[in-house]
Amino acid sequence: MRNWLNAVSLFLFTLLLAPSAQAAADAATCLGCHGSMEGAVKVDQERFSKSVHGGMNDCTMCHLALKGAQHQGLSDARPDKTVADLAAAIAAKSGSNAVAQAACVNCHSDTYQTYKASVHGQNVIVKKSADGPVCTDCHGSPHYIQSKSSKESSVNHFTVVETCGKCHEEKFMSEKYGFSTHVMERYKESFHGRKLRVGHPGAPSCASCHGSHDVKSAKDPSSPVSAANKITTCAKCHSGATEKFVAAITHKPMHPIAHWTELALIVLTMSVFAFICIHVLLDIFADIRERLFRKGDKHE
Amino acid sequence: MNNRTIPTEIERFDLSARVQHVIMFTTFLLLSFTGWGLKYAYQDPSSAWISFWGGAKMAGLIHRVAGITMLLDFIYHQFYLINQYRKGGMRPTLIPMPKDVVDAFHNFMFFFGLRKERPYFGKFNYMQKFDYWAVYWGMFIIGASGFFLAFPVTVSTLFPMWSIQWIWDVVIAMHSDEALLAIVFILIFHFYNEHLRSEVFPMNWMWLTGKMSIDQLKHHHPAEYDHLFGDKSGKKQ
């Protein structure tokens, strides 16, 4: 009797664990192999389940038109025209992964339209450049994307600066696209950058002024930091901002006058530092000498 | 004067001066602590340090309130000086004089064993005058630039257009580098002279009592001792 009971419960338990044969392309099936593979094809099951896409059970929503005999019969879906066109446009950049990288637009179509009109989108889609970012360049792998409010997100208010910096810190980028050299360095040493770094929620990140998916070249009149819009953008925080006020923030390399003034101040600081150190040390030695050799003297 | 009995101690700082000093060093410490986190924002401990002060917003608020309090303390000190002058109780004992340069030179000779005695210091020696006037330097350079940085939109209207490309970097350098100078100065010079020096360790209690013993006065400020209690010819002791 007892053996019989054990056998039944074991059987039921096994049924519960066994992957359902009908849902051939669900995440469990794919992860059965990809969860334990090595290299680029590996998907970390735990991290995936905690990501914003962790609830999606159908890998073939993005991984359309799977190749290879091992994937036979798992997905017959063909990318629609939008995805196929985008995949073709980013093929130079993405290689074999182009379709999956383009598939974001299936769900995120509004964001895609905004991105397409941005300086990044134009560079990638129209000019077919390998420099500009596609979704995954900023957001990371779709398997592990965290909500924008998460600390681990690569595009939250505090981490987005480093994410922009991946490209905008590169010298060849500033030369090729004509934006200011040292833009990251100048931002980071500014009050904005420092305050953001120590966790001030009101301090602006790159995206606060330049926008994110809709980012435009500063030369584009529709950019929030174009000559026409800069005052409005700065006034979001600095009410009453004027032409003169907004002219101060350019991310340009430090002006020679500022550079030499700072150097002079540093020299002054170091000189005073050296003088007082020497003075204090000599004072200590004289004190010791007096105590050793003038013991009988009147004062302590 | 020489008929007067010599007291055992004299008052060097009245209550008002002592209170001004307490306000000055309290705000100085708060400003240094909160400002340091921002100056070295990219050094690892800074974020934790700023959290300790209640986060970046609170640290900023503390910095501004302390800054304004310090400026008010400084302004109050000017009225205090005027009042002292009007009461007739003020001698120009803090004004840097040529004698201070000679004293400094003699003090260095004493350091090297080339003179047997320390210089014939007055009420305030050259180091104390340096200490005092350093605050003025700090107030004008750091205080003014801090005020500019606190109200950038308003202040930007004061700057001519041709200076906009560099003036704010100059203001930031003034504020941040001279603040470092002030901290280094206090930490080394003031702390050594008023805290670590073997005869005052752990601190010179004058900041609380305002009083100095006659022995101390005679030893460290002999010219002042002679001025107060010496014979009228003003000879050295």
Side-chain angles (χ1 to χ4, degrees):
Chain A
M1 182 69 175
R2 186 180 254 181
N3 279 344
W4 186 78
L5 262 181
N6 277 346
V8 168
S9 56
L10 203 67
F11 175 72
L12 287 172
F13 190 61
T14 316
L15 261 185
L16 208 71
L17 281 183
S20 160
Q22 288 92 330
D26 73 3
T29 310
C30 300
L31 284 166
C33 295
H34 286 274
S36 52
M37 289 166 91
E38 290 297 322
V41 291
K42 180 187 168 72
V43 175
D44 186 317
Q45 185 167 0
E46 203 187 321
R47 284 179 64 207
F48 169 67
S49 64
K50 284 180 189 157
S51 81
V52 289
H53 294 142
M56 289 165 60
N57 205 29
D58 184 0
C59 300
T60 60
M61 278 177 80
C62 304
H63 295 282
L64 303 152
L66 294 169
K67 291 178 200 129
Q70 71 275 34
H71 296 137
Q72 202 88 58
L74 286 173
S75 165
D76 307 321
R78 293 279 138 222
D80 65 11
K81 192 175 175 324
T82 316
V83 174
D85 287 352
L86 180 58
I90 63 173
K93 203 180 151 59
S94 308
S96 60
N97 242 347
V99 172
Q101 287 200 318
C104 305
V105 307
N106 269 340
C107 297
H108 302 280
S109 57
D110 286 354
T111 313
Y112 173 56
Q113 293 309 325
T114 313
Y115 162 79
K116 202 173 170 183
S118 77
V119 66
H120 286 157
Q122 287 293 300
N123 203 39
V124 171
I125 298 164
V126 178
K127 295 183 190 157
K128 302 203 169 25
S129 164
D131 298 326
V134 295
C135 312
T136 51
D137 285 309
C138 304
H139 294 274
S141 163
H143 302 129
Y144 311 128
I145 287 180
Q146 294 292 321
S147 145
K148 212 184 129 195
S149 57
S150 159
K151 262 188 179 172
E152 284 150 48
S153 165
S154 59
V155 294
N156 73 30
H157 187 58
F158 298 103
T159 54
V160 73
V161 174
E162 290 302 327
T163 302
C164 297
K166 283 197 293 183
C167 297
H168 286 268
E169 215 154 17
E170 295 291 339
K171 194 161 167 273
F172 85 90
M173 289 290 229
S174 65
E175 280 164 3
K176 190 168 172 185
Y177 294 100
F179 51 76
S180 161
T181 51
H182 305 93
V183 51
M184 290 299 289
E185 185 192 318
R186 294 291 281 144
Y187 167 77
K188 284 184 183 174
E189 70 193 18
S190 74
F191 271 100
H192 288 162
R194 288 166 190 275
K195 280 185 177 177
L196 189 82
R197 178 60 200 243
V198 295
H200 197 301
S205 70
C206 311
S208 311
C209 305
H210 294 271
S212 47
H213 296 119
D214 55 349
V215 64
K216 300 273 163 42
S217 160
K219 291 162 203 139
D220 185 332
S222 66
S223 162
V225 296
S226 71
N229 296 333
K230 201 173 175 184
I231 292 180
T232 322
T233 303
C234 295
K236 285 199 289 183
C237 299
H238 299 280
S239 62
T242 59
E243 190 80 39
K244 235 179 185 180
F245 173 73
V246 305
I249 291 193
T250 59
H251 305 315
K252 280 185 188 148
M254 203 183 246
H255 191 280
I257 295 179
H259 175 76
W260 291 107
T261 312
E262 185 173 32
L263 207 65
L265 289 170
I266 290 171
V267 168
L268 175 73
T269 302
M270 296 315 277
S271 316
V272 174
F273 180 64
F275 175 76
I276 60 177
C277 280
I278 291 167
H279 197 289
V280 164
L281 284 174
L282 289 174
D283 215 338
I284 293 171
F285 287 132
D287 202 14
I288 293 169
R289 185 191 65 213
E290 294 299 292
R291 269 156 209 280
L292 284 177
F293 301 114
R294 302 253 179 97
K295 271 187 176 161
D297 251 12
K298 44 200 168 158
H299 293 288
E300 66 111 354
Chain B
M1 234 183 197
N2 45 351
N3 295 332
R4 212 202 294 173
T5 41
I6 297 174
T8 54
E9 54 184 20
I10 57 146
E11 188 181 71
R12 269 167 75 88
F13 297 116
D14 62 17
L15 183 64
S16 172
R18 278 175 271 154
V19 171
Q20 288 171 48
H21 172 245
V22 170
I23 295 172
M24 184 59 68
F25 80 68
T26 313
T27 53
F28 177 84
L29 290 173
L30 288 172
L31 287 163
S32 308
F33 288 149
T34 50
W36 191 272
L38 201 59
K39 181 167 172 63
Y40 296 100
Y42 293 91
Q43 262 71 31
D44 253 349
S46 286
S47 292
W49 179 240
I50 290 292
S51 312
F52 172 78
W53 288 95
K57 261 185 148 164
M58 183 49 87
L61 185 67
I62 293 172
H63 198 86
R64 285 171 175 85
V65 171
I68 288 166
T69 312
M70 187 189 256
L71 279 171
L72 291 176
D73 190 33
F74 176 71
I75 292 165
Y76 176 78
H77 182 66
Q78 309 315 308
F79 286 109
Y80 168 80
L81 290 180
I82 293 168
N83 194 36
Q84 293 286 96
Y85 180 77
R86 278 173 44 197
K87 281 200 297 194
M90 191 166 67
R91 291 178 289 130
T93 47
L94 268 166
I95 310 292
M97 293 289 184
K99 180 178 179 294
D100 291 310
V101 181
V102 178
D103 279 357
F105 183 68
H106 284 171
N107 205 25
F108 272 88
M109 285 176 73
F110 168 78
F111 289 160
F112 292 116
L114 300 171
R115 281 176 73 95
K116 282 214 162 78
E117 295 285 332
R118 284 192 181 264
Y120 184 60
F121 286 132
K123 183 170 181 181
F124 298 108
N125 63 36
Y126 71 90
M127 291 167 273
Q128 292 164 327
K129 289 183 184 180
F130 196 29
D131 226 346
Y132 178 79
W133 291 102
V135 179
Y136 275 79
W137 169 258
M139 279 299 156
F140 282 111
I141 300 290
I142 312 172
S145 59
F147 191 78
F148 293 171
L149 292 168
F151 304 102
V153 179
T154 314
V155 171
S156 69
T157 59
L158 304 174
F159 297 142
M161 198 63 196
W162 49 263
S163 70
I164 294 298
Q165 289 308 308
W166 48 267
I167 191 76
W168 287 105
D169 282 322
V170 168
V171 168
I172 291 168
M174 273 163 58
H175 195 73
S176 145
D177 292 344
E178 293 316 282
L180 182 66
L181 174 60
I183 292 169
V184 162
F185 185 84
I186 294 293
L187 208 60
I188 296 175
F189 204 66
H190 190 73
F191 265 53
Y192 174 69
N193 285 320
E194 310 301 341
H195 292 266
L196 297 177
R197 182 192 289 282
S198 56
E199 56 194 289
V200 295
F201 186 83
M203 70 183 88
N204 188 340
W205 295 100
M206 215 186 302
W207 76 277
L208 282 172
T209 64
K211 294 191 171 71
M212 179 184 256
S213 78
I214 285 303
D215 270 2
Q216 290 274 328
L217 184 73
K218 198 170 175 181
H219 184 55
H220 293 294
H221 305 280
E224 175 71 1
Y225 177 84
D226 290 347
H227 173 83
L228 293 176
F229 310 112
D231 57 51
K232 270 179 182 157
S233 66
K235 267 195 308 185
K236 277 201 185 186
Q237 46 183 136

